C-alpha cells in the first residue's frame, strides 16, 4: 500500500510517500505564493525519489495553511492532527509536541493513547516562529542553520528586551553596532525564541516525552534553551527530518483511512 502526505506551509512545502509503513520518498521546497503550485512541485520531487507515478498513490492527505488549495489530495486534515500523528510515528513515546512553523507555533499535549488532549497555537505574531529566526539571521549576516550553532560558541548571551520581531530587530542592530560578539547576539536570539515557545509549552502543561517538529527542531541553540525553560529534555528525532513531521503524519493518516482505522 502506498500513501502520501503533502504539507504546504507559509515558508516551505513538504511531501512524503510511504509504502507499507516505510518512507520511500520525500521532499522539502521553498513555498511560492501559489499553494497549488508548491504542492504539485514538492509532490513531483517526492514521487521522483520514490520512483513511482502519482497514479500509484492510493490515498493522499493534505495539511498546512494551503491544504484547501491542493488539487490532488483525497482529504485535508488540520496541522494539529497531522503533527500529532507524525510525531508519534517518529517517536512513539511522545506525550508533548512543540511544532515551530514559518508563521505559527503549536504546543500539543497527547493522552496515553496518543490522541490530542490539549493544544495552543500562536499565530498572531511572528515572534516564536520560523520567520522570527529568518529575520534575525539576515540581520546577523548568517544562515538560519549557523544561527543555531552560535549558542554553543557564545560566552555571554545578550538579552533581547522584547520578543516582538520589530523591537527585537532594533535590539540586535544596537548590539551589533556596540561591538557585541555576533555569537552572543545569536545566542540571545535563540534564547528569546525559546522563551516565547516555552510559554506555550508550559501553558499546555508539557509532559515527557517532549518532541519538537518543524525546521526549528534542527536549531540546537533553541532546543537546549527550551529544555531548561520547560524542565524536560527534548527528544531529538532521528528517524526522519523533523521538518517532515506534518507531511509524515498526513501520509500515516492516509494509511489509517485505507486500512479502516480512521
Amino acid at each position: 500500500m502506498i500513501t502520501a502526505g503533502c504539507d504546504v506551509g507559509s515558508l516551505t512545502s513538504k511531501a512524503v510517500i510511504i509504502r507499507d509503513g516505510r518512507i520511500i520518498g520525500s521532499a522539502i521546497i521553498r513555498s511560492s505564493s501559489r499553494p497549488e503550485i508548491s504542492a504539485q512541485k514538492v509532490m513531483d520531487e517526492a514521487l521522483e525519489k520514490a520512483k513511482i507515478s502519482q497514479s500509484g498513490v492510493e490515498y493522499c492527505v493534505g495539511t498546512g495553511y494551503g491544504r484547501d488549495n491542493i488539487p490532488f489530495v483525497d482529504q485535508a486534515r488540520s496541522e494539529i492532527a497531522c503533527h500529532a500523528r507524525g510525531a508519534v510515528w517518529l517517536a512513539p513515546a511522545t506525550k508533548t509536541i512543540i511544532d515551530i512553523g514559518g508563521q505559527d507555533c503549536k504546543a500539543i499535549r497527547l493522552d496515553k493513547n496518543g490522541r490530542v488532549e490539549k493544544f495552543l497555537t500562536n499565530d498572531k505574531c511572528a515572534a516564536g516562529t520560523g520567520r522570527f529566526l529568518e529575520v534575525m539571521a539576515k540581520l546577523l549576516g548568517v544562515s538560519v542553520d549557523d544561527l543555531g550553532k552560535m549558542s554553543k560558541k557564545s560566552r555571554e548571551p545578550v538579552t533581547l528586551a522584547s520578543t516582538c520581531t520589530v523591537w527585537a530587530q532594533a535590539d540586535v542592530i544596537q548590539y551589533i553596532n556596540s561591538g557585541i560578539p555576533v555569537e552572543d547576539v545569536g545566542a540571545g536570539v535563540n534564547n528569546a525564541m525559546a522563551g516565547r515557545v516555552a510559554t506555550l509549552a508550559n501553558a499546555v502543561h508539557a509532559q515527557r516525552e517532549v518532541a519538537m517538529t518543524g525546521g526549528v527542531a534542527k536549531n540546537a541553540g533553541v532546543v537546549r534553551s527550551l529544555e531548561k525553560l520547560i524542565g524536560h529534555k527534548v527528544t531529538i528525532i532521528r528517524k526522519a527530518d523533523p521538518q517532515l513531521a506534518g507531511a509524515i503524519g498526513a501520509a500515516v493518516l492516509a494509511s489509517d483511512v485505507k486500512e479502516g482505522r480512521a
Side-chain angles (χ1 to χ4, degrees):
M1 181 175 63
I2 299 175
T3 59
C6 188
D7 177 5
V8 178
S10 61
L11 293 182
T12 59
S13 294
K14 290 78 62 177
V16 168
I17 314 294
I18 288 180
R19 178 167 58 202
D20 299 329
R22 186 173 65 87
I23 295 174
I24 60 171
S26 65
I28 302 173
I29 65 168
R30 189 81 178 179
S31 292
S32 71
S33 58
R34 300 276 300 277
E36 67 277 15
I37 293 176
S38 298
Q40 191 63 64
K41 184 178 179 181
V42 75
M43 183 56 71
D44 286 345
E45 287 192 18
L47 289 167
E48 184 177 355
K49 291 178 182 177
K51 294 181 172 56
I52 62 168
S53 64
Q54 195 153 340
S55 61
V57 176
E58 297 177 48
Y59 203 87
C60 181
V61 168
T63 191
Y65 94 98
R67 62 185 178 271
D68 293 326
N69 294 305
I70 306 174
F72 54 80
V73 299
D74 297 291
Q75 183 184 135
R77 297 290 297 271
S78 74
E79 294 168 78
I80 300 297
C82 290
H83 277 275
R85 194 73 173 90
V88 171
W89 189 85
L90 290 164
T94 298
K95 290 294 178 289
T96 305
I97 301 133
I98 298 169
D99 172 66
I100 304 175
Q103 67 177 6
D104 67 8
C105 174
K106 297 175 279 292
I108 308 165
R109 194 182 74 222
L110 308 178
D111 64 17
K112 62 182 181 179
N113 297 312
R115 299 190 184 94
V116 176
E117 191 171 56
K118 184 175 183 179
F119 72 90
L120 287 173
T121 302
N122 162 43
D123 58 3
K124 305 298 183 186
C125 173
T129 71
R131 181 61 182 159
F132 175 81
L133 290 184
E134 281 205 343
V135 170
M136 297 307 153
K138 187 175 181 180
L139 274 179
L140 293 171
V142 300
S143 69
V144 174
D145 289 340
D146 287 339
L147 181 62
K149 301 171 186 175
M150 287 183 170
S151 293
K152 193 172 183 179
K153 299 175 182 178
S154 172
R155 293 186 177 183
E156 295 182 36
V158 301
T159 299
L160 301 186
S162 172
T163 55
C164 168
T165 304
V166 176
W167 293 113
Q169 286 182 77
D171 282 349
V172 168
I173 292 169
Q174 183 178 358
Y175 282 130
I176 293 171
N177 291 339
S178 299
I180 302 294
V182 68
E183 292 82 7
D184 290 340
V185 182
V189 167
N190 291 332
N191 291 345
M193 175 78 163
R196 182 76 180 208
V197 174
T199 300
L200 278 184
N202 289 329
V204 300
H205 306 293
Q207 300 174 354
R208 295 176 60 191
E209 302 284 332
V210 178
M212 269 186 76
T213 60
V216 181
K218 294 180 277 190
N219 181 311
V222 172
V223 173
R224 296 289 86 81
S225 182
L226 182 61
E227 288 178 331
K228 294 175 184 176
L229 293 169
I230 65 174
H232 296 297
K233 188 170 179 60
V234 174
T235 299
I236 304 300
I237 292 173
R238 303 188 188 281
K239 189 175 180 179
D241 189 328
Q243 198 167 357
L244 291 169
I248 289 171
V252 174
L253 286 171
S255 298
D256 290 346
V257 171
K258 291 299 291 181
E259 293 177 356
R261 295 194 301 267

